[in-house]
Amino acid sequence: MALVPYEETTEFGLQKFHKPLATFSFANHTIQIRQDWRHLGVAAVVWDAAIVLSTYLEMGAVELRGRSAVELGAGTGLVGIVAALLALKSSMKPLLVHCLLFFSGAHVTITDRKVALEFLKSNVQANLPPHIQTKTVVKELTWGQNLGSFSPGEFDLILGADIIYLEETFTDLLQTLEHLCSNHSVILLACRIRYERDNNFLAMLERQFTVRKVHYDPEKDVHIYEAQKRNQKEDL
């Protein structure tokens, strides 16, 4: 998530971002997310798109257990934290859960730029039990730059909440999605359509991926789009 501070006096609705903690309930856990608007801007607050995407995951719309997932531009890490809790959710005792998932290969990687990484790590460590932290990685990822530290097609599921608002990042983001996806990977992007450039990104995405809207939250005005790599035969 890009570090672009908003003007503090713009909207009444922005006051919630100045609260040091935001509390949520997902996957039978109380999650307390630390926020730091003043120092890290938009990367350090919970946006509605992250809440809607977390809710969508909790609805069971996609299978998480036994699959590898990555969150891009994680910011506070809410979506990645919820994905990790859901992926490793079980009624078994923690030790048995850990052993089971060690062999199943389930893991979640939560990424952002270097400048936001320590803040992100603090939220992940504060909200994930130790047996789940062992299968969760917080890792630096600057779109389009350090892709060599990730294997091509490494992830089954790629998650992003409110990450398509800066036009100058679109090309790098598309390159990153292309690198991380296999032919079987699923991308879930949650966003508001605020400006024409947001639609422009979706049009760019559709050149390389099949895209469909799978969910809309009218209260928060957030859309969720699912994308998968195009089958080369479809383009012939």
Side-chain angles (χ1 to χ4, degrees):
M1 187 175 289
L3 306 183
V4 182
Y6 279 60
E7 291 294 331
E8 294 188 13
T9 57
T10 51
E11 298 182 34
F12 175 78
L14 298 183
Q15 291 182 1
K16 64 183 179 181
F17 298 145
H18 294 274
K19 295 181 180 179
L21 282 177
T23 303
F24 306 93
S25 180
F26 287 107
N28 298 323
H29 282 73
T30 296
I31 301 172
Q32 288 195 313
I33 298 293
R34 187 165 66 90
Q35 301 189 120
D36 191 355
W37 172 278
R38 186 170 298 277
H39 294 100
L40 291 174
V42 301
V45 295
V46 178
W47 294 90
D48 284 345
I51 300 170
V52 173
L53 184 52
S54 296
T55 302
Y56 185 73
L57 294 177
E58 189 174 45
M59 288 164 54
V62 293
E63 180 59 59
L64 286 163
R65 283 175 290 186
R67 304 180 74 191
S68 58
V70 61
E71 183 185 5
L72 306 182
T76 63
L78 176 63
V79 172
I81 289 166
V82 172
L85 289 169
L86 292 170
L88 309 186
K89 185 178 177 181
S90 173
S91 60
M92 299 182 189
K93 294 180 180 180
L95 179 61
L96 294 179
V97 174
H98 173 73
C99 293
L100 172 66
L101 290 160
F102 180 83
F103 290 108
S104 73
H107 72 273
V108 175
T109 302
I110 308 175
T111 71
D112 210 324
R113 295 168 57 192
K114 185 176 182 179
V115 67
L117 223 53
E118 288 305 313
F119 175 79
L120 174 57
K121 284 180 182 178
S122 70
N123 272 326
V124 171
Q125 292 169 355
N127 286 286
L128 290 182
H131 68 279
I132 295 182
Q133 287 189 38
T134 60
K135 300 298 292 182
T136 306
V137 176
V138 176
K139 192 170 180 179
E140 179 186 354
L141 174 55
T142 300
W143 302 338
Q145 292 189 25
N146 59 320
L147 297 178
S149 61
F150 296 84
S151 300
E154 182 174 345
F155 298 100
D156 301 312
L157 182 65
I158 293 89
L159 305 168
D162 228 346
I163 63 173
I164 65 171
Y165 58 91
L166 286 176
E167 197 163 12
E168 58 266 32
T169 68
F170 288 177
T171 299
D172 289 336
L173 176 54
L174 284 170
Q175 181 186 356
T176 301
L177 292 172
E178 176 73 23
H179 179 82
L180 297 177
C181 284
S182 71
N183 291 332
H184 305 290
S185 302
V186 173
I187 301 168
L188 291 177
L189 297 177
C191 62
R192 281 182 176 161
I193 303 299
R194 300 180 179 92
Y195 309 106
E196 184 60 29
R197 63 175 178 262
D198 301 331
N199 284 315
N200 291 342
F201 174 82
L202 293 174
M204 294 168 65
L205 187 67
E206 286 177 339
R207 293 174 197 150
Q208 298 172 250
F209 299 85
T210 57
V211 181
R212 66 188 183 105
K213 184 162 67 174
V214 293
H215 183 71
Y216 176 66
D217 185 317
E219 181 181 346
K220 297 185 183 300
D221 190 26
V222 170
H223 308 257
I224 297 180
Y225 294 92
E226 179 188 279
Q228 289 185 279
K229 273 189 175 179
R230 284 188 177 276
N231 187 326
Q232 290 183 351
K233 293 182 180 179
E234 293 178 359
D235 299 326
L236 295 179

